[in-house]
Amino acid sequence: MSDIRQPTLDQILVAQRCLTPEAADRAMRLCQDGHDRLDRILTRLGLITERTLAEALAAHTELPLFTADAFPTAPVLPAQVSPRFLRHHRVLPLRHADDELTLAMADPLDRWPLEALAYATGARVRAVVAASGDIEAAQDRLYGSEPNATADAGTGDVDEADAERLADAASEAPVMRIVNALIARAVEARASDIHLEPTEDQLRIRLRIDGELQTIESPPAALRSAIVSRIKIMSRLDIAERRLAQDGRLRFAVRGKDVDFRVSTTPVIHGESVVLRILDRGSLVLEFDALGFAPEVLSQYLEILHRPHGIMLVTGPTGSGKTTTLYTSLVALNTNQRKILTVEDPIEYQLDGINQTQVKPQIGLTFGAALRSFLRQDPDIMMVGEIRDLETAQIAVQAALTGHMILSTLHTNDAASAVTRLLDMGVEPFLMTSTLNAVVGQRLVRRLCPHCRRAYRPGASAIQALGLDRIIQGSGKADPILYEPVGCRECHQGYRGRTAVLELLPMTEDIARLVLARAEARAINEAVVAAGMRTMLVDGMHKALAGITTPDEVLRVTRDSGS
């Protein structure tokens, strides 16, 4: 059969439903105009990822798909194979044994590299498929980076010439490919953050997936400054400034969908540490059920939330989902009859119909100053990103007393500690009891993968140690079932996504008396538990019994909460 009759790459991708016909036509027009190869156009536009492209080609050619962990640690047949030839054709020799050469190919439809290497080495050549980015990264590691792509400015000041050199290096094709592939990989892995940390001899890269940092392979050490500079250029930061921390934003298309990133750089001993916070609006679900609110807790929370005035606080450490809970609450409150204003640091997601303000301390626009100006805007509801000081707390109390609903956060270990924290700030107890409606304490736990979780029956000692005996008492479940992670292709080490474990502390008459007496957080917590509050620990164990998470996850996040 002649090559003319073979399906082309765009036809293969459309047939496998990896690409729509419209997207294929758009990319083909750019390819015909001479912009680049079709596969690179597709990945650059975010219409398909390198991994999906490789999987589609492997399925079409019925060749094995190899990943980077199967690549060699040293060059194969370096005396017989030209690195320039390998780069040009995007192929990589993986192993040579028994007169057979295994060759990883980004484009297995191109038979010429197979024939050329068979002739040059005299070996039988067996083709396998691999992602283009994996091949190119391995080529850089094994054969060195391409010329002019090895800028590493070290640390300290950067003069104008160095800045130009960094900018040139950051614009080189290998650097752009590495950064683009890293961002796409992080989004596909459902990571919340990308961490780039320079060490003495490498650029360590870690992804935070479901709350835990996972180290991935490092790029060539010689490219570390160029990679950081590339991210700074994309975020519109000053690449010449390496002595001060900088903050920026960037937008990147992944599989045809725009994803926003918040970028933070800070100087460290071996260069600049960079963190990209992934703000994927498409994956944000602002629904209470998705957050992890149990039905009985949700009904009580919504009743308090819809009161005409007062303060609702959400507490927990950084990364515990407080902002998402506030955003979900604002969406529930957002109607044409209400004016809602927020002041945040930073604005993570833009909400339709809500007026959002970014704090700018350098010009005096602090939380307190913004909240004070909001009172002149005749709002119904105001959200303050965080109550950090007495000034902000006093203005929030004043706003609640004058008929406004205030939503905000505090950094405390549990709901009861929020009360004592406000007292320590200097808020008068009688004002707090008059304005504070409720406090939510929360943590995030990893969700078990529903595809591979494995059930087991805990022993009597484990049931007692976990407090499950008290939870199942009276439920008729004398023989409870728990689940443990296994791991499959649908998840990461047995987990997929996260959910919240929560506790809701309403300001009741009994709690108000304790506040007026300036009781400690422990006494307040004991009183509210005696009144029927479900602590974060108990809420988490209910979720463990429901197969949503594991007891180990619940204990991990609630161990310091006092629950």
Side-chain angles (χ1 to χ4, degrees), residues 445 465-466 537 541 550-560:
V445 294
L466 295 172
L537 175 61
M541 289 304 171
T550 65
D552 287 345
E553 272 293 291
V554 176
L555 293 174
R556 178 179 66 84
V557 302
T558 60
R559 191 170 289 123
D560 65 342

Side-chain angles (χ1 to χ4, degrees), residues 342-345 347 356-374 376 388 391-392:
T342 77
V343 55
E344 307 169 54
D345 183 23
I347 297 173
Q356 297 173 264
T357 300
Q358 166 77 50
V359 299
K360 296 178 181 177
Q362 63 272 22
I363 61 172
L365 185 57
T366 61
F367 280 122
L371 191 55
R372 190 181 294 108
S373 70
F374 283 179
R376 298 189 290 270
R388 296 177 178 173
E391 178 195 15
T392 307

Side-chain angles (χ1 to χ4, degrees), residues 203-486:
L203 181 65
R204 182 169 70 161
I205 299 181
R206 297 190 288 175
L207 307 181
R208 189 178 295 279
I209 302 173
D210 295 336
E212 291 203 341
L213 286 170
Q214 309 289 335
T215 301
I216 63 174
E217 61 273 10
S218 298
L223 297 181
R224 59 182 179 175
S225 289
I227 289 170
V228 170
S229 296
R230 176 63 187 167
I231 294 173
K232 292 173 72 174
I233 289 172
M234 295 170 69
S235 311
R236 298 184 180 180
L237 301 179
D238 183 0
I239 65 170
E241 179 56 77
R242 304 180 67 187
R243 301 164 298 174
L244 299 175
Q246 297 186 68
D247 293 299
R249 297 178 78 97
L250 68 90
R251 177 169 291 180
F252 191 84
V254 179
R255 301 206 69 172
K257 179 180 65 175
D258 285 339
V259 179
D260 291 321
F261 297 80
R262 194 173 79 226
V263 182
S264 171
T265 71
T266 191
V268 293
I269 189 171
H270 294 297
E272 289 179 283
S273 174
V274 182
V275 176
L276 291 84
R277 178 79 183 274
I278 302 174
L279 307 174
D280 186 0
R281 179 67 184 269
S283 65
L284 183 67
V285 181
L286 299 179
E287 298 176 357
F288 288 110
D289 290 343
L291 294 184
F293 276 78
E296 58 271 25
V297 176
L298 179 57
S299 60
Q300 186 181 13
Y301 180 80
L302 291 176
E303 183 276 320
I304 299 172
L305 184 66
H306 283 87
R307 292 178 186 176
H309 54 79
I311 299 175
M312 172 73 79
L313 293 178
V314 182
T315 71
T318 301
S320 60
K322 300 186 299 296
T323 301
T324 304
T325 298
L326 289 183
Y327 279 166
T328 305
S329 301
L330 290 176
V331 170
L333 293 169
N334 189 19
T335 66
N336 289 331
Q337 290 73 41
R338 293 189 177 109
K339 179 164 184 174
I340 302 177
L341 298 172
T342 77
V343 55
E344 307 169 54
D345 183 23
I347 297 173
E348 294 195 7
Y349 297 97
Q350 297 180 16
L351 303 177
D352 294 336
I354 294 175
N355 302 281
Q356 297 173 264
T357 300
Q358 166 77 50
V359 299
K360 296 178 181 177
Q362 63 272 22
I363 61 172
L365 185 57
T366 61
F367 280 122
L371 191 55
R372 190 181 294 108
S373 70
F374 283 179
L375 293 174
R376 298 189 290 270
Q377 292 280 313
D378 189 29
D380 298 291
I381 299 164
M382 292 179 282
M383 191 269 271
V384 186
E386 182 185 351
I387 294 179
R388 296 177 178 173
D389 50 42
L390 178 59
E391 178 195 15
T392 307
Q394 288 176 332
I395 300 171
V397 168
Q398 178 188 354
L401 287 171
T402 53
H404 302 87
M405 172 58 80
I406 308 296
L407 306 180
S408 191
T409 70
L410 270 180
H411 283 90
T412 61
N413 284 336
D414 55 20
S417 298
V419 176
T420 54
R421 175 79 178 109
L422 290 174
L423 290 174
D424 291 341
M425 280 185 182
V427 178
E428 293 295 335
F430 72 92
L431 291 176
M432 192 186 310
T433 58
S434 302
T435 57
L436 184 61
N437 289 343
V439 182
V440 175
Q442 70 177 65
R443 296 285 193 281
L444 292 179
V445 294
R446 291 181 292 174
R447 281 181 171 270
L448 279 167
C449 174
H451 300 282
C452 65
R453 65 182 184 181
R454 183 164 53 210
Y456 70 95
R457 296 187 183 278
S461 58
I463 291 174
Q464 186 174 7
L466 295 172
L468 299 179
D469 50 345
R470 296 187 297 273
I471 294 176
I472 63 177
Q473 191 173 18
S475 66
K477 296 180 180 179
D479 193 15
I481 296 176
L482 295 174
Y483 296 82
E484 59 186 0
V486 177

